[in-house]
Amino acid sequence: MWNKVKTLIRRHRSFAITTHVFPDGDAVGSELALAQILRRLGKKVLVVNEHPLPKIYRFLDPRRTAKVHAKKLEACIEKCDVVFAVDAGSLDRLGRVGITMQRADLRSICIDHHKTNSSFADVNIVDTSAASTGELIYSLAKSLRVPITPHVAKCLFVAAATDTGWFRFPNTTPRTFRMAAELIQSGVKPERIYQAV
C-alpha cells in the first residue's frame, strides 16, 4: 500500500503538509504526526492550512509550526517537492493551499479514510476501513520503520479518539484499539488528552 509513498519520500527532500478547511482533531493530529515522522527522516517540512488550528488542539503544536496560508507563504509552498493532503476528500477542501498546489503543478499525495474521496492527488491512499486518517499515518510510520515518539503518539491518539467519539462510534475496530494500546505504551496519558480536548 505504501510503496509509491515511500518512493516519493526517499527521492525528495522538501514536503508541504496540509489538511481540510476548519481542521478537526483527526486532521490536526494526522498532519502534525506526519510532519514529525518526515522530520525524523531528515526531510524539510512546511505545515500550512487554510485555517488556523483550533485552540483545543494547539497543545499538539507548542512551537506553532503549523502556518496559516498567506500570500507570502505561496512561494514556500511552490518550492516544496511534494504536497501531502491528509484527511481531505477533494482539492477544494484544501482552500487556497489547494489552489497554490494546483497552480504550481506540485506532486501530491492524499492520505484519507473518507468514502467520498475524489482521488484528486497523484498518489491516493484512501482506506475507508480505517477509523481515522491517524490510523493510516500510524501504518505509514510502521512501514517506514520510524519510531513512534511520545509527541507523535499524542498527535495520533487525538486523531483516533476524536474521530471515533472517544472510541464509541461504530467505526472503532480492533485495529483502532491495537494502535491506541501502543500509543499509550509510547507515553500517551488518555485522561490528559481528554481533559485538553
Side-chain angles (χ1 to χ4, degrees):
M1 176 166 85
W2 295 113
N3 288 341
K4 288 182 180 178
V5 175
K6 285 159 62 175
T7 297
L8 284 170
I9 291 172
R10 275 195 303 268
R11 289 182 178 171
H12 298 287
R13 184 175 177 274
S14 62
F15 297 83
I17 304 175
T18 191
T19 190
H20 59 76
V21 295
F22 302 108
D24 58 9
D26 188 21
V28 172
S30 294
E31 70 176 356
L32 293 177
L34 178 59
Q36 288 301 312
I37 291 163
L38 292 174
R39 287 181 182 124
R40 299 253 324 168
L41 293 170
K43 307 299 180 179
K44 185 178 176 184
V45 180
L46 170 67
V47 178
V48 57
N49 301 319
E50 173 72 13
H51 295 112
L53 304 187
K55 286 182 183 178
I56 59 171
Y57 301 123
R58 287 183 193 161
F59 73 98
L60 296 175
D61 188 28
R63 295 184 181 176
R64 301 292 185 262
T65 59
K67 308 298 182 190
V68 178
H69 185 281
K71 196 75 177 170
K72 63 183 179 181
L73 281 175
E74 289 186 357
C76 299
I77 297 168
E78 291 170 0
K79 285 178 185 174
C80 291
D81 300 317
V82 179
V83 178
F84 275 95
V86 301
D87 201 44
S90 61
L91 188 66
D92 64 308
R93 292 276 288 149
L94 303 177
R96 289 171 295 169
V97 180
I99 294 168
T100 303
M101 181 176 126
Q102 191 174 38
R103 186 179 63 237
D105 197 25
L106 297 172
R107 288 183 188 88
S108 57
I109 300 169
C110 177
I111 302 176
D112 189 26
H113 70 121
H114 295 104
K115 291 178 183 176
T116 54
N117 191 285
S118 65
S119 297
F120 63 92
D122 297 317
V123 176
N124 297 281
I125 305 297
V126 181
D127 182 355
T128 59
S129 70
S132 64
T133 298
E135 269 187 31
L136 300 176
I137 301 300
Y138 171 83
S139 170
L140 175 59
K142 290 292 186 184
S143 186
L144 289 166
R145 301 183 184 216
V146 174
I148 303 294
T149 64
H151 182 68
V152 168
K154 193 186 295 185
C155 292
L156 293 177
F157 194 87
V158 167
T162 56
D163 244 32
T164 59
W166 300 94
F167 310 102
R168 293 178 297 118
F169 296 163
N171 62 339
T172 308
T173 66
R175 176 169 68 166
T176 311
F177 281 116
R178 282 192 292 270
M179 179 184 81
E182 183 172 336
L183 299 179
I184 291 169
Q185 286 178 327
S186 297
V188 165
K189 305 291 184 197
E191 70 282 7
R192 290 186 188 170
I193 300 290
Y194 184 79
Q195 288 165 4
V197 175

